[in-house]
Amino acid sequence: MTNLVSPAQLIHLQRRAEHGEGPPVRVLDVRWRLDRPEGRPEYVRAHLPDAVYVDLEHELADRGQPERGRHPLPSLERLQSAARGWGLNADHIAVAYDDNRGVAAARLWWLLRRAGVDVRLLDGGIRGWIAEGLPLDAGDVLPEPGDVVLFGSDDGRLELGEVEAFTRSGVLLDVRTPEQYSGTQTSLDPVGGHIPGAVNLPAMAVVDGDGRLRHPDALRRIFGSVGIRPDTQVAVYCGSGVAAMHTALALDQAGIRAAVYPGSWSEWSNHRGLPVAIGILPNGRVTAV
């Protein structure tokens, strides 16, 4: 399964489906940002034709205690119920997009891919679609409930208790900003800094000025700059497990398999006694939460 589609490729998939030459396509709008987590108003104003809105905060995350992080993974049952509400059927190709360089849409990609769904990300998102002069619709799309059956998998997922050991055998990649990584900016978390041993590569390093993922050759060079090769064991974390999944997609495009630590810094920093490194070096000044 490929990870990305361009606007032209999405239209091709849809036309093939209309002529009975390929599987149906379900387009999913996952607009979300840290500063504006409710994307439905923008969706209602304008979205891709037939796109169904996906609420990241309530459908792609669980509501839990702070020690679980800001965006704990939803249960398989909850995710399946949400997916059926989007009208997703077992034979569908799901295509996700957003307006923020694919970061939120990649959360849906990661969750559905692990659950056995053929899912793609619209490279460039709604902005790339508009740049091609393609039409938009307004209002809400309420599809008939779908019948998709999702499958559980722990593959590609790193739990809190596995993180410290991982740093001794692989590369733990922190994709937050340098300010968050070094601890000069605490953002929404109790303390600043990073997990000792983690190396920093900001999430936006893997996208170009148009919000599209860089070419696989460029991605391999970027990841190589922090010691990641195709045979390297890699795990990724961010602030709350959203941007990390976007980087996991970029790694996959580069031919590098990566695990994700979904709890990320928002979980780690809420557990007393865990080590915290301060500064720009992977093992900087180490203190504790």
Side-chain angles (χ1 to χ4, degrees):
M1 294 187 292
T2 185
N3 296 323
L4 305 176
V5 294
S6 66
Q9 289 168 331
L10 173 55
I11 292 169
H12 177 69
L13 288 173
Q14 291 172 322
R15 286 177 176 168
R16 287 195 64 198
E18 289 169 3
H19 291 94
E21 298 171 355
V25 179
R26 175 62 67 195
V27 182
L28 301 169
D29 184 309
V30 200
R31 271 180 272 187
W32 172 92
R33 297 166 183 256
L34 276 174
D35 62 341
R36 198 166 64 246
E38 176 56 74
R40 186 178 288 278
E42 287 82 3
Y43 162 81
V44 171
R45 280 195 289 271
H47 56 76
L48 268 66
D50 298 323
V52 177
Y53 179 68
V54 175
D55 188 328
L56 185 147
E57 292 281 337
H58 298 94
E59 295 180 309
L60 304 184
D62 197 8
R63 302 296 287 251
Q65 300 301 316
E67 59 268 21
R68 294 183 61 209
R70 288 193 300 278
H71 295 109
L73 297 183
S75 67
L76 183 67
E77 294 75 18
R78 184 171 179 179
L79 181 62
Q80 178 173 280
S81 176
R84 290 182 175 183
W86 309 328
L88 191 63
N89 290 327
D91 62 342
H92 276 156
I93 296 173
V95 176
Y97 74 89
D98 59 35
D99 63 352
N100 190 25
R101 302 183 179 185
V103 172
R107 171 97 172 183
L108 181 63
W109 168 85
W110 191 85
L111 287 167
L112 290 186
R113 189 190 195 208
R114 292 173 67 252
V117 175
D118 185 354
V119 56
R120 324 283 175 88
L121 185 141
L122 179 62
D123 203 19
I126 191 171
R127 297 180 185 184
W129 183 268
I130 292 170
E132 297 286 340
L134 296 167
L136 297 171
D137 284 348
D140 210 350
V141 175
L142 301 173
E144 292 293 322
D147 62 11
V148 69
V149 176
L150 302 185
F151 300 93
S153 171
D154 290 327
D155 183 44
R157 175 179 174 178
L158 201 66
E159 299 290 353
L160 175 68
E162 302 171 312
V163 175
E164 285 189 84
F166 187 90
T167 61
R168 296 190 288 271
S169 60
V171 174
L172 182 62
L173 194 60
D174 182 319
V175 299
R176 295 174 301 153
T177 66
E179 293 78 15
Q180 292 169 323
Y181 175 83
S182 66
T184 58
Q185 182 186 86
T186 58
S187 185
L188 302 173
D189 303 307
V191 298
H194 59 271
I195 299 170
V199 298
N200 186 220
L201 181 69
M204 291 300 99
V206 302
V207 298
D208 63 20
D210 294 328
R212 294 177 171 86
L213 273 182
R214 298 188 185 278
H215 188 276
D217 290 341
L219 292 173
R220 282 186 281 272
R221 288 193 294 272
I222 291 166
F223 292 125
S225 71
V226 291
I228 296 172
R229 304 287 185 268
D231 59 349
T232 304
Q233 284 189 299
V234 187
V236 191
Y237 77 92
C238 58
S240 66
V242 179
M245 293 171 184
H246 182 265
T247 301
L249 185 152
L251 282 158
D252 198 79
Q253 283 296 105
I256 303 168
R257 294 193 64 184
V260 170
Y261 169 35
S264 287
W265 187 249
S266 63
E267 179 182 51
W268 187 271
S269 63
N270 273 288
H271 282 261
R272 287 190 175 274
L274 289 179
V276 173
I278 304 296
I280 62 173
L281 299 177
N283 289 297
R285 180 171 59 86
V286 178
T287 179
V289 175

